[in-house]
Amino acid sequence: MQLKKKLKIKNFIIIFLFLINSATSNAQITKFTFFGDSDSDNGFFKHVRFTSTANVFDSTGVLTIRPGLMWTESIGQKFGVEVITQPIGGNNYAASSSRINTDVAAGGEGDGAWSLNKQITQYLSTTGGKADPRMLYSLDDGTNDLKPAYIGGLITGGRGQVIGQTVKGEGANNAAIANNEAGIRLLAGDLISEANRLKNAGAKYILIRHEIITSPDANFQVLTGYGVVDAVSSAGAAIFNQEVRNLIRSNNLNVIYHDDLSIAQHIVTNAARYGITHTLITDNACGGANTYAGNPPAQCTIKPGATTDYLFSDSVGHYAPAAQNIVSDGVYNLLIAPIQISMLAEVPMQTRSATIGVINNQIPLSFKKNDQTLNFWTTESVSRNETNYGKTGVPDSYGVPITGTVGFDMKLSPEWIGGISTSFIHTNQTFGSDLGEFTQKETAFSAYTGYKSADDSVWANTIVSYGLISNDIERNVKFGITTQKLTGKNIDSTNTSLAFSGGYNFKNNSGLSSSIIHGPVFGAKIQKIKVDGFTENNENSVPAPIQLQFHEQNLTSKIVSAGYQVYYPYSSVIEPFAKFSLDHDFGDTTRKITQNQTSNTDIPSYYIESFRDKNYASGSLGVLLKDEQQKVFGQVALNTEIRQSRDINKNISVNFNVNF
């Protein structure tokens, strides 16, 4: 007996752990790892400098943007993740001067910088060769490979080999590009190979930034064409970026491609809007010095307003803090928008459950009629839905569904009842942190039937519903010191559902508890929700840097429930009740929310997974208030879903029902 008891306890623990794991295996992005060059480096050389002989600590190597945060640090802050450079055990492997496949030689600029390939190799060596599916991996590299000093050797010397400075002059530049285009495409292939390596190791989310080449002898060259000095690099970058996008599609990679080019053009065109008064690369926050170069790197005198007024931190083209923040906001938008849009399908699932609950509450009342005449009824309800993700950076959701239902039914026999109803549901749902809101208007048509045995012990209800939904959404997207309002209007969706519930009522005809009605309850509910795709509209006088087009959504929920309920007819007018159930969803609790940027039609689409728990607990606690003739009743209830991933859905409902 003792052994059997231990085995039962052990089996329970195993099952419990399995349920927890099944609930938490799919999650939104909660972790970050960065690879790349100086565009993502937040202090690699501040902590370690690699020489040909030894690893030597050096506290001087730091980029000139240090008056503020790198975009890597800023995006980490938004999600509550500290971004620390790898030499001191952190999650940022990016090193200034890094190239994709070639380690920088010791001595001089970029002394000993690891290549992107080596950075990823080093990371995987610490994880047993496995990538984390909840991690965003940023691959921000290629600029240094496209410098004039390197690009001429992509073919003749093997891609990535330094062979000296490319000859200047327009004719020579054009020839250099023509002669080395194949090498540039091979270089893009090297970057995608690294992305594939992470994918094959288990990564789901990879970020690649559009490579931009700037020049010191003109205002940001991406606006005016290629400059004189870096014409080869700029033209090469255009080929490189195009090939990267082509390879993302052909390799079927889920890459979040950040369109830095459109962002940069937008900032320069609307610099004053973002408080930036200095856009020239020669007029930078560090007095025009290339301050990260040298061994050790030089230090600059930071100008007043370096964190807010300047586009560039130095003459090399590194962004100053204001632009770094805008890049971070752009990435945040790409990560958080799919989660927001997923709610257009998730909320109707919740409101439909409430509508089904209204009908289930009505059926016992309709059974109380003694004749087989038509019974007309109406119910009004106000609820509050609250979904808390419990994750920094992921906006919680708060909503107030208001529902009005009218219906009629009739007793078909003493044991059977049938009816139809129409529900009108208006929901205003807000995103936390002032990130926007959406409104849903649904008209749902339902047909239902109910059964109860002659002794009231056995009961069963079946409800089928179809709803037409119209959505209006508004997202408040922050870019630097601005807030852009992006909207979607008249987005159509539908919800088709089938629900069954039944149970058994125990009654005690003697003793103190003779009035209590209690028993097990069982249920099954299927919902299929479809949301049309749409393209965001810009509601501002100035276009937003990033607008998104969202693809069609499909959600299928298949919930099976088992629980227990208790009713206590305290009097003819007051009846407290309680219900508890364990629920399992056999449907698509993990969905891919797919979207693409509208700034460039050539940018590949990407997806981010939205998830619900498969296993959760539901509870209701409330009271029925009714007149003695059973024609009017009210219901106040607190309904809660407790999910194992710490998501909690709270619902306080107030219903008022009149039978005619």
Side-chain angles (χ1 to χ4, degrees), residues 281-551:
I281 198 169
T282 51
D283 182 17
N284 56 66
C286 204
N290 178 0
T291 56
Y292 86 98
N295 186 13
Q299 300 296 305
C300 76
T301 302
I302 303 298
K303 293 181 180 179
T307 61
T308 57
D309 302 347
Y310 289 84
L311 179 60
F312 296 105
S313 67
D314 54 31
S315 62
V316 183
H318 297 112
Y319 285 151
Q324 293 281 344
N325 189 38
I326 295 173
V327 170
S328 168
D329 289 337
V331 173
Y332 181 74
N333 179 34
L334 296 179
L335 298 181
I336 210 68
I339 300 173
Q340 295 174 300
I341 299 303
S342 72
M343 297 300 294
L344 296 181
E346 299 290 343
V347 169
M349 186 176 65
Q350 299 171 8
T351 55
R352 175 60 54 84
S353 294
T355 301
I356 291 171
V358 166
I359 298 173
N360 276 325
N361 290 336
Q362 174 59 41
I363 291 175
L365 297 175
S366 298
F367 265 119
K368 294 182 180 297
K369 290 180 63 69
N370 294 320
D371 55 25
Q372 292 180 249
T373 59
L374 285 176
N375 172 56
F376 291 89
W377 58 273
T378 180
T379 295
E380 308 295 329
S381 68
V382 179
S383 305
R384 175 172 171 85
N385 289 332
E386 183 178 327
T387 299
N388 301 317
Y389 288 100
K391 302 178 181 70
T392 302
V394 182
D396 297 332
S397 180
Y398 312 90
V400 182
I402 300 174
T403 303
T405 302
V406 294
F408 67 90
D409 51 39
M410 184 175 67
K411 272 189 174 181
L412 306 177
S413 71
E415 292 82 22
W416 288 95
I417 195 170
I420 59 174
S421 67
T422 302
S423 300
F424 305 93
I425 307 160
H426 183 282
T427 304
N428 183 255
Q429 199 84 6
T430 61
F431 302 118
S433 304
D434 196 28
L435 294 179
E437 63 180 5
F438 65 90
T439 299
Q440 289 187 330
K441 299 177 182 178
E442 179 179 6
T443 302
F445 306 93
S446 302
Y448 58 91
T449 182
Y451 167 83
K452 75 174 182 68
S453 61
D455 61 356
D456 291 340
S457 60
V458 179
W459 61 273
N461 301 328
T462 301
I463 304 167
V464 59
S465 304
Y466 179 79
L468 298 171
I469 308 170
S470 177
N471 303 273
D472 293 333
I473 187 168
E474 176 184 297
R475 295 197 309 118
N476 298 326
V477 182
K478 296 179 180 179
F479 292 100
I481 62 175
T482 73
T483 298
Q484 305 277 3
K485 183 181 295 183
L486 303 178
T487 63
K489 303 289 188 181
N490 300 316
I491 308 162
D492 293 331
S493 56
T494 59
N495 186 358
T496 305
S497 65
L498 174 65
F500 169 82
S501 58
Y504 188 88
N505 293 326
F506 295 103
K507 294 183 178 180
N508 186 2
N509 296 320
S510 63
L512 182 64
S513 61
S514 60
S515 299
I516 296 178
I517 302 172
H518 61 96
V521 292
F522 306 93
K525 181 167 54 187
I526 299 174
Q527 293 192 61
K528 291 184 177 293
I529 300 169
K530 177 184 176 182
V531 182
D532 287 351
F534 69 98
T535 300
E536 289 184 312
N537 297 310
N538 177 51
E539 299 294 326
N540 309 274
S541 58
V542 177
I546 295 178
Q547 292 173 233
L548 295 172
Q549 179 182 50
F550 300 96
H551 298 201

Side-chain angles (χ1 to χ4, degrees), residues 575-604:
E575 186 173 310
F577 66 89
K579 178 182 177 181
F580 174 81
S581 67
L582 296 175
D583 310 285
H584 180 82
D585 196 336
F586 290 93
D588 49 2
T589 54
T590 299
R591 298 185 296 123
K592 294 179 180 179
I593 310 300
T594 304
Q595 50 278 312
N596 58 272
Q597 300 171 58
T598 61
S599 56
N600 187 334
T601 57
D602 188 54
I603 295 177

Side-chain angles (χ1 to χ4, degrees), residues 590-651:
T590 299
R591 298 185 296 123
K592 294 179 180 179
I593 310 300
T594 304
Q595 50 278 312
N596 58 272
Q597 300 171 58
T598 61
S599 56
N600 187 334
T601 57
D602 188 54
I603 295 177
S605 60
Y606 70 99
Y607 71 82
I608 287 180
E609 288 182 340
S610 169
F611 78 101
R612 304 186 315 279
D613 284 304
K614 286 186 174 294
N615 306 286
Y616 54 96
S618 301
S620 297
L621 183 66
V623 60
L624 287 171
L625 305 171
K626 52 192 177 181
D627 69 347
E628 295 183 351
Q629 289 76 37
Q630 305 290 337
K631 290 184 177 181
V632 180
F633 86 97
Q635 176 181 283
V636 180
L638 171 64
N639 312 293
T640 304
E641 292 180 356
I642 302 175
R643 304 177 183 272
Q644 291 166 317
S645 62
R646 297 194 305 167
D647 296 357
I648 299 175
N649 183 276
K650 304 174 186 176
N651 175 290

Side-chain angles (χ1 to χ4, degrees), residues 28-33 79 81 91 132 134-137:
Q28 287 100 354
I29 297 168
T30 57
K31 305 175 184 178
F32 298 85
T33 295
F79 287 94
V81 176
N91 51 359
D132 191 334
R134 294 173 295 177
M135 185 87 71
L136 177 70
Y137 295 95

Side-chain angles (χ1 to χ4, degrees), residues 204-323:
K204 285 186 176 181
Y205 305 110
I206 297 170
L207 174 75
I208 292 179
R209 290 176 61 188
H210 185 102
E211 294 297 331
I212 302 174
I213 305 297
T214 60
S215 171
D217 57 321
N219 189 10
F220 206 19
Q221 297 300 323
V222 296
L223 293 178
T224 60
Y226 305 137
V228 176
V229 173
D230 279 350
V232 173
S233 299
S234 298
I239 297 171
F240 176 85
N241 290 319
Q242 180 63 65
E243 184 68 6
V244 166
R245 296 193 296 268
N246 291 341
L247 290 173
I248 289 171
R249 284 186 286 265
S250 63
N251 283 266
N252 196 29
L253 286 169
N254 184 43
V255 168
I256 304 167
Y257 189 93
H258 188 265
D259 188 8
D260 271 47
L261 178 61
S262 294
I263 290 278
Q265 292 172 327
H266 177 85
I267 294 174
V268 173
T269 305
N270 306 280
R273 180 177 176 85
Y274 298 99
I276 297 174
T277 56
H278 303 273
T279 60
L280 290 173
I281 198 169
T282 51
D283 182 17
N284 56 66
C286 204
N290 178 0
T291 56
Y292 86 98
N295 186 13
Q299 300 296 305
C300 76
T301 302
I302 303 298
K303 293 181 180 179
T307 61
T308 57
D309 302 347
Y310 289 84
L311 179 60
F312 296 105
S313 67
D314 54 31
S315 62
V316 183
H318 297 112
Y319 285 151

